[in-house]
Amino acid sequence: MAQPSTPAEFVAKWSEIKLSERAASQEHFLDLCRLLGQPTPAEHDATGAEYTFEKGVAPAGGASRGSAGERGFADVWWRGKFAWEYKRRGKYRDLKDAYRQLCQYREALENPPLLIVSDIERTEIHTNFTGTVKQVHEIALADLDKPESLDLLRRIFTDPASFKPTVTPESVTRDIATQFSTIAKSLRQFGHDAHTVAHFLMKCMFCLFAEDVELLPKDLFGNLIRRYQKDPAKLTDRLTELFATMRTGGDFGAEPIDFFNGGLFDDSAALRLTSHDIAKLLIASQSDWGSVEPAIFGTLFERSLDPNTRAQIGAHYTSRDDIMLVVEPVIMAPLRREWEAVKEGINAQLKRRRKGKADAKRRADKAIADALHAFVQRLATIRILDPACGSGNFLYVAIQQLLDLEKEVTTFAARPDIALSLLPQVRPTQLHGIEINPYAAELAQVVIWIGYLQWMRDNGFNVPRNPILEPLQSIECRDAILDRSDAENPKPAVWPEAEFIIGNPPFLGSRKARLELTDSYVDLLQRVYRDQLPEGADLCCYWFEKSREFVEEWDGLRCGLLATQGIRGGSNRHVLDRIKQSGEIFLAWSDLEWALDGAMVHISIIGFDSGNESVRTLDGVSVTIINADLSAGVDLTVAGRLAENEGVSFQGTINSGEFDVSYHDALSMLRDPNPTVHRNDEVIRPWVNGTDITRRNRGRWIIDFGVGRSETEASAFHAPFEKAAGSIRTMRDELKDGKPKYAHSSVYPFWQLWCPRPEMRAALADRLRYVATPRVTKHRLFVWLSPAVLSDAQLIAFARSDDYFFGLLQSSIHELWARRRGTQLREAESGFRYTPTTCFETFPLPWPPGKEHENDEAYSRIAEAAKELDEHRERWLNPPEWIDPIAARADAQDDFRDVPEQARELIRHSAIMARAAKDPKLKKRTLTNLYNQRPTWLKLAHEKLDRAVIAAYAKTDPGGNWQEDWAEVWAETGAGSPLPAGHALAVRRKEIDQLVLGNLLRMNLERSK
């Protein structure tokens, strides 16, 4: 028949042809190219390198060249555009086998964006874009003369990217979860137990998935919903009947149903839905369930089904890419190395086979087959444990990666020079999980099976049958860290054996754990683990400790767990110290944003083993060692506390009640007379917290009865005591038996501050001034305070009044040390927590306290530079030109004459500061804003101070490496603060930081012996 020149002629010609697949396919494709005005393979590429007929491939899954229905080539292939597979017209009811064949070929074909199958009578265009919902465009031969059909076919050649779907699996999954959340809420309102509701809806979910991937007859479940939408009672009966049939296999009406089993389809009856619920279920049924994203499916559905979850539908979730930060380096990296070694051995055998005689060839073939069978068996016997598995997203991603690697192995085995048939052996039953939440534990099983079945379909493999599902008894619903089966003898929980441990343990600090888990549980947990973990450790540390014990016992075990980024410091770091003692950390992300309960938090990822792994990466960079504080280079975790620094630094007072008062309330109390001769200025004093330093002093005061006043003595201060006897007393009474526990609840009475810090008061008693710094701040700031001012718990007070000491603390050297020794709360840019015991008491001063030389030039240079810096900052914060008019207004509006003389200037200063904090110009002048801007005068002042401090260290530590020009780099890069990304001085700054920290650590170790 002549070559058709019009669409009508094309349809007419190919409607009549009954040729075999091989005879028809190439001519059909050539006719199509000419009809569409597109080049044929030979016209575009005479070599066949990127566009050709019969592109040779090695199919995955053991299909050898020439086997029935499976050929070792794709009928047409154009790199980066499409792969095209033909089947004989009329031979098959559908094109599933052809599509499955292309799915097995696609890796060998470099994953083209379009997979096209055709039997002449119909052509299907399947999208193959990563991260999108798969779509199918079908064109019937009879419709090929329509403009829209020709446009679709032409775009295959000219613009394959135009087929990329805009809908993502994540959006489909989120939309479906929203519908199920509404149904779950409705069912619970009708009195159904929450777990019963969840179990029923999980069955519905799986049915919707099963019909979309044709494990159930197509549209079976959706048609049931539509048919009985107006008859809820009948729908309940029919669903109960369907679930029962899926449990055993059999006929459902005229439709045969496979044997599903699995525990999901137990003998519980379906729940009755309202017409509104059925409408929601119908909407959900119209979504593409075959495209749900298993990596987030469980998280979103747990939020939908569990009434106790705090997260909201549509909030953030842990993405596949995030989970891969654990799965790839912990599980897949060593397996890929093993696979490379196997391939290297096979390639060596292939060389021997080519050169050898018959016996040598047989031996080589056997060695190759043995090696491949052994590695597939290796993959099929790997056990992976997630001891806090939630709804299974980590486990799903892990098995998906194992399946991908297994497919790579089977594809390799199917090469013509090996021609070995291997079938997938990896199964969900290799996964083990522990989860205390029954909703999540059951959902994890559904998620893992959906993900597994989805992978099998997407990669061209037939799913298992009889049964389709197996019970995942390896997903256990129990406490992962505490075994209370014997109430009299609680003990650590036992975990199943595994080769890899991964997961995301719960993020609860010690105090928050008491709120959510009860005091009795936390007390018991701490008692059971008292020899392994300190009481203040976050809850996630218990999972790390259990994993560490496994590593110590089983040499080949690898672990990868998430933690709050606070695990790097404080009492939490104890578990990382133990990990370093018994093994080694080979992977760490010290600070990453992560989605948790609908909010973004900052976490650390830690991978560790017994020390076998030689490749170590920290924050994506190769390093030689990772320290217990998740740093590289100088290991400051070994620094000891210095006796010479003790008794100098103190955390401020803890109120536990509204003891602090405004300037106006303080003024009123100071004016009030008492029934005794005592005046209220004895118990009313200025008060500051971190905000007053980082922003502006607000002029706040506090009711402070000190330490040791009896109730009789305290009540003589009438107005202050009455305030304490009101709301403060009520709050204290509520806290006595409440939670969380407070260390001082039984020590101090209600009229005193909860923690009045008597040791701090004694140390500051004879000082003319003292140094203070906020515990948590973006920039490490030190200021002078009057001894009359009481520091809050958010401040650290230093019992020193000399400029030299102030200068040492405000130097870049101390900030660098403190940042590495402190603990970070959120992202690095938000600052870190300064703790006296770790940041100051370990910090070696040039001269130990009490041994400074006031006449020494180095000492004087530091004092001079520090005084100059402080004066310049104060002049910028409170310029007299702006403050004096405010002071004049305060004097005119407030009468301070009836205030006790010793408090008169203090209350006047508070009045001025309170007004200045509201002044449009002055309220922008804060230390935080100043250090954000870092004007030149400030950089130069810090550079002068840093040079003086470095000179002092150079003089007192002649064995060290101290260079004054380091101060210039710090001035340019923001002192001890984190460097901006890509800063030109980043390399130099890193070198300097390591040298300084090395010097300081050596001094610390020498003095702390």
Side-chain angles (χ1 to χ4, degrees):
M1 196 171 178
Q3 178 182 315
S5 58
T6 67
E9 291 177 0
F10 185 95
V11 173
K13 171 181 176 177
W14 288 101
S15 295
E16 299 298 326
I17 287 179
K18 307 294 185 183
L19 296 173
S20 69
E21 175 187 334
R22 181 175 293 273
S25 59
Q26 293 193 11
E27 184 173 350
H28 178 269
F29 188 80
L30 292 170
D31 279 357
L32 191 62
C33 288
R34 290 166 183 140
L35 178 68
L36 299 171
Q38 300 303 314
T40 66
E43 289 170 347
H44 177 79
D45 178 12
T47 67
E50 67 170 27
Y51 183 21
T52 184
F53 286 117
E54 298 195 0
K55 171 65 174 176
V57 294
S64 60
R65 179 184 289 273
S67 62
E70 300 283 3
R71 296 171 297 172
F73 52 83
D75 289 330
V76 193
W77 171 74
W78 193 337
R79 176 182 285 130
K81 293 191 176 184
F82 59 78
W84 197 309
E85 186 67 26
Y86 280 94
K87 290 298 177 186
R88 182 173 182 174
R89 183 179 180 182
K91 183 176 181 180
Y92 299 96
R93 185 180 64 179
D94 54 43
L95 294 167
K96 289 181 187 175
D97 287 343
Y99 177 65
R100 185 167 64 249
Q101 185 172 322
L102 278 184
C103 286
Q104 292 181 344
Y105 291 169
R106 63 183 174 187
E107 283 79 11
L109 296 172
E110 303 175 32
N111 266 310
L114 301 176
L115 301 177
I116 305 166
V117 290
S118 178
D119 65 355
I120 308 299
E121 191 171 340
R122 61 207 155 159
T123 300
E124 293 177 359
I125 305 166
H126 295 253
T127 62
N128 188 42
F129 296 89
T130 303
T132 64
V133 170
K134 297 186 184 301
Q135 293 182 348
V136 181
H137 304 271
E138 185 170 339
I139 304 169
L141 175 61
D143 295 330
L144 204 113
D145 58 348
K146 295 179 179 179
E148 56 269 28
S149 298
L150 293 170
D151 176 63
L152 273 178
L153 290 168
R154 191 173 288 109
R155 282 162 50 204
I156 291 170
F157 295 86
T158 62
D159 190 13
S162 66
F163 285 88
K164 185 172 184 178
T166 57
V167 178
T168 65
E170 288 85 353
S171 63
V172 170
T173 310
R174 191 163 41 242
D175 291 343
I176 292 171
T178 301
Q179 304 302 328
F180 270 81
S181 177
T182 304
I183 300 171
K185 184 177 180 181
S186 172
L187 288 171
R188 289 194 297 268
Q189 288 174 343
F190 276 88
H192 293 294
D193 171 75
H195 188 260
T196 301
V197 170
H199 185 67
F200 166 65
L201 291 179
M202 286 181 210
K203 293 180 183 180
C204 295
M205 289 180 221
F206 190 86
C207 287
L208 288 167
F209 167 78
E211 69 173 7
D212 272 12
V213 299
E214 300 184 23
L215 294 174
L216 284 175
K218 190 165 181 62
D219 294 328
L220 172 69
F221 195 84
N223 286 336
L224 271 182
I225 300 167
R226 278 184 286 274
R227 182 174 179 182
Y228 297 109
Q229 186 173 4
K230 307 279 188 197
D231 192 349
K234 189 67 173 176
L235 178 62
T236 303
D237 293 340
R238 296 293 281 155
L239 289 180
T240 299
E241 182 184 345
L242 174 62
F243 296 159
T245 308
M246 294 175 73
R247 182 170 66 253
T248 60
D251 291 331
F252 181 72
E255 299 285 0
I257 303 296
D258 281 327
F259 172 30
F260 280 82
N261 193 16
L264 177 61
F265 295 98
D266 56 15
D267 57 2
S268 59
L271 301 184
R272 182 164 178 169
L273 300 166
T274 67
S275 295
H276 180 72
D277 296 336
I278 297 172
K280 290 290 183 183
L281 193 58
L282 187 58
I283 293 172
S285 73
Q286 294 164 358
S287 296
D288 182 4
W289 280 81
S291 296
V292 294
E293 172 49 70
I296 66 167
F297 180 91
T299 301
L300 292 182
F301 276 85
E302 185 183 351
R303 295 170 184 171
S304 301
L305 304 179
D306 187 350
N308 298 316
T309 187
R310 297 185 303 276
Q312 299 299 311
I313 299 302
H316 293 98
Y317 51 81
T318 303
S319 71
R320 177 193 298 266
D321 289 344
D322 288 337
I323 297 170
M324 283 298 292
L325 292 175
V326 175
V327 172
E328 176 60 36
V330 174
I331 298 176
M332 300 312 300
L335 293 178
R336 293 187 207 286
R337 289 198 296 263
E338 289 182 36
W339 172 228
E340 289 302 316
V342 170
K343 286 196 294 184
E344 187 177 337
I346 289 173
N347 288 331
Q349 291 290 346
L350 289 172
K351 288 181 181 178
R352 293 189 188 99
R353 190 177 69 179
R354 284 193 294 269
K355 297 177 181 179
K357 296 181 180 180
D359 286 345
K361 289 179 180 180
R362 282 194 293 271
R363 287 195 298 270
D365 285 342
K366 184 178 185 305
I368 291 169
D370 288 348
L372 287 167
H373 281 296
F375 191 71
V376 168
Q377 183 64 16
R378 160 94 173 108
L379 295 179
T381 54
I382 284 169
R383 293 164 64 97
I384 300 172
L385 169 65
D386 183 344
C389 69
S391 47
N393 50 358
F394 272 70
L395 290 174
Y396 159 69
V397 171
I399 194 172
Q400 187 260 347
Q401 291 298 305
L402 282 183
L403 287 163
D404 283 348
L405 179 57
E406 186 180 45
K407 183 180 179 182
E408 184 180 328
V409 176
T410 59
T411 301
F412 180 87
R415 284 172 22 178
D417 55 347
I418 298 176
L420 182 65
S421 176
L422 298 173
L423 293 173
Q425 301 295 317
V426 171
R427 297 281 286 168
T429 48
Q430 296 173 233
L431 305 178
H432 295 258
I434 305 174
E435 173 53 46
I436 198 168
N437 183 328
Y439 307 94
E442 185 169 13
L443 188 56
Q445 300 184 42
V446 177
V447 166
I448 291 167
W449 273 113
I450 285 180
Y452 172 75
L453 296 172
Q454 190 183 67
W455 186 94
M456 295 289 285
R457 179 205 62 172
D458 290 346
N459 286 273
F461 296 106
N462 290 318
V463 301
R465 301 281 176 172
N466 297 318
I468 289 174
L469 306 177
E470 296 176 41
L472 280 186
Q473 296 173 342
S474 56
I475 305 297
E476 304 175 64
C477 183
R478 62 179 173 91
D479 190 326
I481 53 176
L482 199 56
D483 179 357
R484 291 177 287 174
S485 56
D486 181 352
E488 299 299 319
N489 299 289
K491 57 188 178 182
V494 175
W495 289 359
E497 292 185 6
E499 190 171 347
F500 301 98
I501 296 177
I502 58 173
N504 183 4
F507 291 176
L508 287 176
S510 56
R511 287 191 178 184
K512 197 171 182 181
R514 290 188 174 278
L515 288 169
E516 298 204 13
L517 304 178
T518 74
D519 278 337
S520 60
Y521 179 87
V522 174
D523 289 341
L524 187 61
L525 186 65
Q526 291 178 351
R527 191 177 85 216
V528 170
Y529 286 87
R530 63 180 175 272
D531 295 332
Q532 295 145 284
L533 294 171
E535 288 188 0
D538 288 353
L539 191 64
C540 67
C541 294
Y542 291 86
W543 273 261
F544 276 82
E545 174 57 23
K546 285 287 298 178
S547 300
R548 184 204 66 79
E549 288 180 342
F550 266 37
V551 167
E552 193 171 31
E553 183 178 348
W554 302 332
D555 185 56
L557 183 66
R558 291 166 68 93
C559 303
L561 298 174
L562 273 62
T564 54
Q565 55 84 20
I567 197 170
R568 297 179 288 165
S571 57
N572 291 327
R573 200 180 66 220
H574 182 79
V575 74
L576 298 187
D577 290 331
R578 287 174 63 82
I579 285 171
K580 291 280 291 181
Q581 291 164 9
S582 59
E584 194 56 76
I585 298 172
F586 64 81
L587 162 75
W589 291 91
S590 61
D591 179 16
L592 280 178
E593 276 197 338
W594 197 268
L596 177 69
D597 289 341
M600 297 307 294
V601 298
H602 284 259
I603 60 103
S604 296
I605 297 176
I606 300 144
F608 56 98
D609 66 356
S610 60
N612 294 330
E613 178 60 77
S614 60
V615 177
R616 299 188 177 110
T617 57
L618 172 63
D619 297 329
V621 177
S622 179
V623 295
T624 57
I625 195 72
I626 300 175
N627 302 320
D629 61 354
L630 305 189
S631 66
V634 179
D635 184 7
L636 298 190
T637 65
V638 301
R641 292 168 67 176
L642 302 174
E644 62 201 39
N645 287 13
E646 292 179 1
V648 177
S649 57
F650 307 90
Q651 183 181 355
T653 58
I654 299 175
N655 295 358
S656 190
E658 294 181 0
F659 286 90
D660 58 305
V661 295
S662 68
Y663 144 72
H664 293 290
D665 289 340
L667 179 59
S668 175
M669 290 183 185
L670 288 172
R671 286 170 172 165
D672 278 355
N674 287 317
T676 67
V677 295
H678 293 287
R679 299 295 302 260
N680 283 338
D681 62 296
E682 295 181 40
V683 297
I684 302 292
R685 59 189 294 191
W687 174 83
V688 295
N689 66 10
T691 299
D692 295 291
I693 291 177
T694 59
R695 298 178 189 174
R696 288 199 66 85
N697 190 323
R698 298 163 296 167
R700 302 288 293 179
W701 286 58
I702 194 166
I703 300 169
D704 175 29
F705 288 101
V707 181
R709 277 193 174 93
S710 67
E711 185 172 7
T712 300
E713 293 170 326
S715 64
F717 300 93
H718 175 72
F721 186 84
E722 288 305 307
K723 178 171 175 57
S727 61
I728 295 173
R729 182 174 194 169
T730 301
M731 184 186 126
R732 289 284 182 86
D733 288 343
E734 291 174 352
L735 283 174
K736 279 183 180 178
D737 299 317
K739 51 183 185 285
K741 291 184 175 180
Y742 291 89
H744 307 278
S745 58
S746 61
V747 178
Y748 298 106
F750 72 86
W751 60 88
Q752 291 185 13
L753 301 179
W754 193 276
C755 184
R757 304 292 188 201
E759 67 284 356
M760 178 184 75
R761 295 168 187 267
L764 299 180
D766 58 349
R767 299 286 171 184
L768 297 176
R769 60 181 180 174
Y770 68 94
V771 182
T773 188
R775 288 179 65 206
V776 179
T777 184
K778 178 179 180 180
H779 307 286
R780 186 46 44 195
L781 306 168
F782 294 85
V783 298
W784 288 114
L785 293 178
S786 163
V789 176
L790 187 66
S791 287
D792 173 68
Q794 291 306 313
L795 296 181
I796 304 300
F798 298 84
R800 290 285 294 262
S801 55
D802 51 319
D803 291 312
Y804 156 79
F805 184 81
F806 175 89
L808 282 176
L809 295 186
Q810 190 62 84
S811 71
S812 297
I813 287 180
H814 180 59
E815 179 166 0
L816 175 62
W817 179 270
R819 280 187 180 273
R820 280 288 305 274
R821 294 287 296 165
T823 55
Q824 185 182 311
L825 290 185
R826 298 180 300 278
E827 70 282 354
E829 291 75 15
S830 292
F832 67 101
R833 180 187 284 114
Y834 188 102
T835 308
T837 53
T838 58
C839 297
F840 175 70
E841 291 185 8
T842 62
F843 179 63
L845 305 171
W847 298 277
K851 297 183 180 180
E852 300 91 347
H853 307 285
E854 296 188 14
N855 296 324
D856 186 275
E857 180 184 355
Y859 177 95
S860 299
R861 281 183 62 191
I862 294 173
E864 177 187 345
K867 184 176 181 181
E868 183 178 302
L869 171 64
D870 178 59
E871 288 174 348
H872 287 179
R873 286 193 325 197
E874 182 60 30
R875 180 70 172 73
W876 183 86
L877 286 170
N878 299 301
E881 297 88 340
W882 294 355
I883 289 292
D884 289 348
I886 293 174
R889 288 197 299 274
D891 291 337
Q893 294 171 11
D894 292 316
D895 184 359
F896 303 109
R897 287 175 298 178
D898 53 352
V899 172
E901 184 177 353
Q902 52 268 45
R904 202 169 293 162
E905 188 54 37
L906 291 173
I907 195 69
R908 178 177 179 271
H909 180 263
S910 293
I912 296 169
M913 290 298 101
R915 286 176 167 83
K918 299 177 182 179
D919 182 85
K921 293 182 295 184
L922 283 168
K923 69 181 181 180
K924 297 179 181 179
R925 293 215 166 188
T926 68
L927 281 177
T928 297
N929 286 343
L930 175 62
Y931 277 81
N932 282 341
Q933 299 163 10
R934 295 191 70 85
T936 301
W937 67 262
L938 182 65
K939 288 198 293 184
L940 293 176
H942 270 283
E943 184 180 341
K944 180 178 179 179
L945 173 62
D946 288 340
R947 287 181 181 276
V949 171
I950 291 169
Y953 277 104
K955 181 172 184 178
T956 57
D957 179 35
N961 181 358
W962 301 93
Q963 301 175 30
E964 286 194 30
D965 66 338
W966 293 347
E968 296 175 12
V969 177
W970 279 327
E972 288 299 317
T973 59
S977 303
L979 273 176
H983 197 287
L985 292 174
V987 174
R988 177 63 174 151
R989 166 63 191 279
K990 186 175 181 179
E991 292 174 352
I992 293 171
D993 287 355
Q994 290 299 304
L995 287 170
V996 170
L997 292 173
N999 285 338
L1000 293 175
L1001 179 60
R1002 178 177 44 77
M1003 294 174 68
N1004 169 280
L1005 297 176
E1006 289 174 355
R1007 293 187 189 178
S1008 60
K1009 288 180 179 178

